[in-house]
Amino acid sequence: MPFETNVFINCPFDNDYKKFLDSLLFTVIYCGYNPLISETFDSGSNRLINIVKLIHQSKYSVHDLCRMVAEKKGDVARFNMPFELGIDIGARTSGMKKLKNKACLILDSQRYRYQAALSDIAGNDIEIYDDKIQNLIRIARNWLNFQSDNRMPGPTLVWEEYKEFQVDLEETLLLDGFSKFDINILPKSEYILLAREWVTIRKAN
């Protein structure tokens, strides 16, 4: 996939975030873009080097900072997401011509929280989705629509299509011999492939 349509996704990979990541990946694909995520299947590979490589391969990036603040006593804040955001912003000043025009969407699940945790970006436009999948889909779709010369499908349609895909995906995988546990831990690279196939067939009909 070309640099101009690649979207690097920087977000949590825990089970609580799965529904948000799935919806984000689907939205990027449905809008005609190619999501890239760091998913390691080679124990000998360096994850950070892979992340930097993906950032350099992507004109666009989505960064969700929702785990950077501990929500309750005993929790540990997660700094991977703001760290990768910093790498992405820094890439613009690397001297590589094509990286100067990179664009990123910064997300958080709660309003104003990022200002206390990461004051250096307090002046940036951060999109808040209030822990709602439909809001996340709308925000991502609208941002991609702004970046594109082609008008995107409406956010409500993307939301409805996402829900239908999730139902179809589970039914298909169960028939293919997957258990519900298998489906819940489906590798994201496989999810992306299946979502792309579904969207291609859907739009051809």
Side-chain angles (χ1 to χ4, degrees):
M1 291 288 182
F3 172 79
E4 289 78 12
T5 56
N6 284 344
V7 182
F8 173 67
I9 307 292
N10 167 30
C11 65
F13 282 82
D14 56 70
N15 196 52
D16 288 340
Y17 192 81
K18 178 182 180 299
K19 59 187 178 183
F20 296 106
L21 177 53
D22 286 353
S23 68
L24 187 54
L25 293 172
F26 179 84
T27 301
V28 170
I29 292 167
Y30 201 85
C31 290
Y33 288 81
N34 179 50
L36 298 181
I37 59 173
S38 178
E39 195 170 32
T40 304
F41 293 105
D42 176 9
S43 298
S45 67
N46 185 295
R47 179 174 169 80
L48 181 56
I49 291 175
N50 185 48
I51 288 170
V52 172
K53 192 177 297 183
L54 293 178
I55 288 172
H56 283 201
Q57 291 172 353
S58 306
K59 183 174 182 178
Y60 307 104
S61 300
V62 178
H63 302 271
D64 193 338
L65 306 181
C66 64
R67 295 286 192 275
M68 67 179 174
V69 177
E71 295 187 350
K72 61 180 183 292
K73 187 177 180 180
D75 281 354
V76 177
R78 302 270 295 279
F79 297 112
N80 285 352
M81 276 64 75
F83 177 65
E84 291 174 30
L85 170 61
I87 294 173
D88 192 18
I89 292 174
R92 301 186 193 195
T93 60
S94 67
M96 295 179 65
K97 188 174 181 180
K98 73 173 186 178
L99 300 182
K100 290 181 179 180
N101 296 320
K102 282 174 63 66
C104 69
L105 170 64
I106 306 175
L107 301 164
D108 197 358
S109 58
Q110 298 178 30
R111 194 169 301 278
Y112 305 123
R113 183 176 57 172
Y114 71 91
Q115 294 176 335
L118 198 60
S119 59
D120 282 350
I121 63 167
N124 293 57
D125 291 328
I126 310 296
E127 294 286 350
I128 310 299
Y129 58 94
D130 295 319
D131 276 324
K132 295 179 181 177
I133 296 174
Q134 189 170 5
N135 287 350
L136 180 58
I137 288 175
R138 174 182 49 77
I139 290 167
R141 178 269 171 199
N142 289 348
W143 178 71
L144 289 169
N145 184 66
F146 179 79
Q147 309 300 329
S148 176
D149 293 330
N150 301 315
R151 190 164 175 270
M152 300 293 164
T156 299
L157 174 61
V158 181
W159 163 240
E160 295 297 334
E161 291 281 84
Y162 167 70
K163 291 189 292 182
E164 189 154 349
F165 168 67
Q166 291 297 106
V167 172
D168 288 350
L169 177 65
E170 181 168 321
E171 290 178 353
T172 299
L173 292 178
L174 287 173
L175 288 172
D176 286 347
F178 286 73
S179 68
K180 290 200 173 182
F181 175 77
D182 295 331
I183 295 171
N184 193 51
I185 61 169
L186 186 73
K188 292 308 170 189
S189 55
E190 190 168 357
Y191 179 91
I192 290 169
L193 177 64
L194 292 167
R196 187 176 290 121
E197 289 177 350
W198 189 91
V199 169
T200 299
I201 294 170
R202 189 75 164 183
K203 290 188 174 184
N205 294 334

